[in-house]
């Protein structure tokens, strides 16, 4: 197996800056799907489109998706769970190509997370000159693929720890550390979160705009995330309880 780590947003932004406009003509839809372990739901069709003026060579791969505590995505190539057809193709200008994704693994007991990656490969064609150097264009589009068991699944987010961390040697800048774990059987997005901190004498209520990094975070099944947040004014080092609510929590 091959394991790769992607800073997805930074990678996309960086490529957007250095790749000629024609290279960004590659599109993939849909960008997120839920699949079943059997029946019609075990098959999904994606469409790769090329709205540019040049042919585009594309290779399709599936990766097992995991995440570090800091939110960095780690992708490990999946070799036995799916059939992808075709795996490689050339998409002509103003044309599209359908790609079939079929689950062939066993029924899981919890939701499994994958990425379907459409990677643009270099053709033997001259590319644009950037800063005096010729480059081979490589661009990745990634779709989210979730395989769910037939039984009911549900996310279950628990805060396992919350404390104030000193950020420098002088101790004059402090961060609020929230450690959350998804002990459920389905991923969830922390949409419109509200974090309530309760001390012996005060209660602090933090809304989404006060929770950068936590708000909108994807909590994959079985994963733990560590969120470093600005410390609310008036909250001091000591014992306090933390409760996290968000849109869709049950």
């Amino acid at each position: 197996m091959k394991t790769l780590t992607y800073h997805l947003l930074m990678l996309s932004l960086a490529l957007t800056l250095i790749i000629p406009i024609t290279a960004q003509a590659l599109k993939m839809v849909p960008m997120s799907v839920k699949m079943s372990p059997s029946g019609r739901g075990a098959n999904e069709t994606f469409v790769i489109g090329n709205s540019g003026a040049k042919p585009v060579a594309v290779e399709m791969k599936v990766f097992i998706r995991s995440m570090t505590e800091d939110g960095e995505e780690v992708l490990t190539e999946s070799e036995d769970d799916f059939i992808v057809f075709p795996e490689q193709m050339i998409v002509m200008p103003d044309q599209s190509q359908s790609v079939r994704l079929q689950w062939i693994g066993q029924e899981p007991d919890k939701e499994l997370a994958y990425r379907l990656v459409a990677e643009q490969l270099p053709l033997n064609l001259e590319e644009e000159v950037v800063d005096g150097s010729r480059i081979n264009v490589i661009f990745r589009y990634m779709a989210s693929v979730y395989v769910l068991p037939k039984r009911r699944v549900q996310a279950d987010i628990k805060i396992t720890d919350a404390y104030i961390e000193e950020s420098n040697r002088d101790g004059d800048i402090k961060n609020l550390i929230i450690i959350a774990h998804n002990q459920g059987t389905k991923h969830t997005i922390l949409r419109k979160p509200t974090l309530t901190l309760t001390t012996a004498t005060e209660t602090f209520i933090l809304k989404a705009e006060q929770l950068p990094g936590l708000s909108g975070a994807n909590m994959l099944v079985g994963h733990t995330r560590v969120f470093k947040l600005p410390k609310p004014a008036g909250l001091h080092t000591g014992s306090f309880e933390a409760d996290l609510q968000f849109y869709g929590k049950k």
Side-chain angles (χ1 to χ4, degrees):
M1 285 191 175
K2 299 177 182 178
T3 301
L4 302 174
T5 302
Y6 294 99
H7 295 276
L8 296 180
L9 292 178
M10 294 305 297
L11 173 64
S12 297
L13 289 172
L15 289 171
T16 299
L17 291 174
I18 67 172
I19 294 177
I21 294 299
T22 55
Q24 299 178 44
L26 180 67
K27 301 295 181 184
M28 177 169 62
V29 292
M31 294 303 293
S32 181
V33 298
K34 296 178 181 179
M35 300 182 67
S36 302
S38 60
R40 290 186 177 182
N43 295 275
E44 190 67 46
T45 299
F46 293 80
V47 177
I48 308 299
N50 177 14
S51 60
K54 297 180 180 180
V56 175
V58 180
E59 183 174 36
M60 308 298 299
K61 293 183 179 180
V62 181
F63 292 87
I64 300 168
R65 182 182 182 187
S66 62
M67 196 170 288
T68 68
E69 292 183 344
D70 295 330
E72 185 174 301
E73 194 160 299
V74 178
L75 303 180
T76 303
E77 190 167 349
S78 174
E79 300 176 347
D80 303 316
D81 296 333
F82 292 91
I83 293 175
V84 183
F85 182 81
E87 292 184 342
Q88 294 183 336
M89 70 203 79
I90 294 179
V91 186
M92 302 305 291
D94 293 322
Q95 299 294 316
S96 61
Q97 169 73 53
S98 294
V99 176
R100 182 187 177 195
L101 181 67
Q102 180 182 5
W103 171 258
I104 57 172
Q106 300 296 315
E107 179 173 350
D109 59 358
K110 58 187 176 182
E111 179 190 74
L112 302 178
Y114 295 86
R115 286 286 195 187
L116 176 64
V117 177
E119 185 175 80
Q120 181 176 333
L121 301 177
L123 288 169
N124 293 326
L125 302 174
E126 297 280 26
E127 296 295 346
E128 300 285 343
V129 176
V130 177
D131 295 332
S133 301
R134 297 193 180 279
I135 62 173
N136 287 325
V137 177
I138 297 179
F139 199 89
R140 291 184 179 94
Y141 278 87
M142 301 191 186
S144 298
V145 177
Y146 298 101
V147 180
L148 288 81
K150 292 182 178 180
R151 70 182 185 89
R152 185 174 179 269
V153 291
Q154 182 175 313
D156 186 8
I157 307 301
K158 299 294 183 184
I159 294 181
T160 59
D161 202 0
Y163 58 93
I164 302 300
E165 177 190 61
E166 295 188 3
S167 296
N168 62 14
R169 294 179 180 178
D170 298 329
D172 57 353
I173 301 176
K174 296 181 174 66
N175 296 304
L176 169 63
I177 305 299
I178 299 294
I179 303 178
H181 178 73
N182 184 358
Q183 63 183 22
T185 52
K186 186 178 184 293
H187 85 285
T188 192
I189 306 296
L190 302 181
R191 296 187 176 94
K192 300 180 181 179
T194 298
L195 180 65
T196 302
L197 308 174
T198 305
T199 70
T201 58
E202 294 183 273
T203 297
F204 301 83
I205 300 177
L206 307 181
K207 299 295 186 179
E209 60 272 14
Q210 299 169 285
L211 302 171
L214 186 150
S215 180
N218 189 344
M219 296 290 298
L220 298 178
V221 173
H223 282 65
T224 297
R225 294 289 305 276
V226 178
F227 301 103
K228 182 177 290 189
L229 306 168
K231 182 186 75 67
L235 178 64
H236 304 293
T237 301
S239 177
F240 59 89
E241 294 184 355
D243 176 71
L244 179 64
Q245 299 294 323
F246 54 92
Y247 180 78
K249 182 177 181 181
K250 297 180 181 180

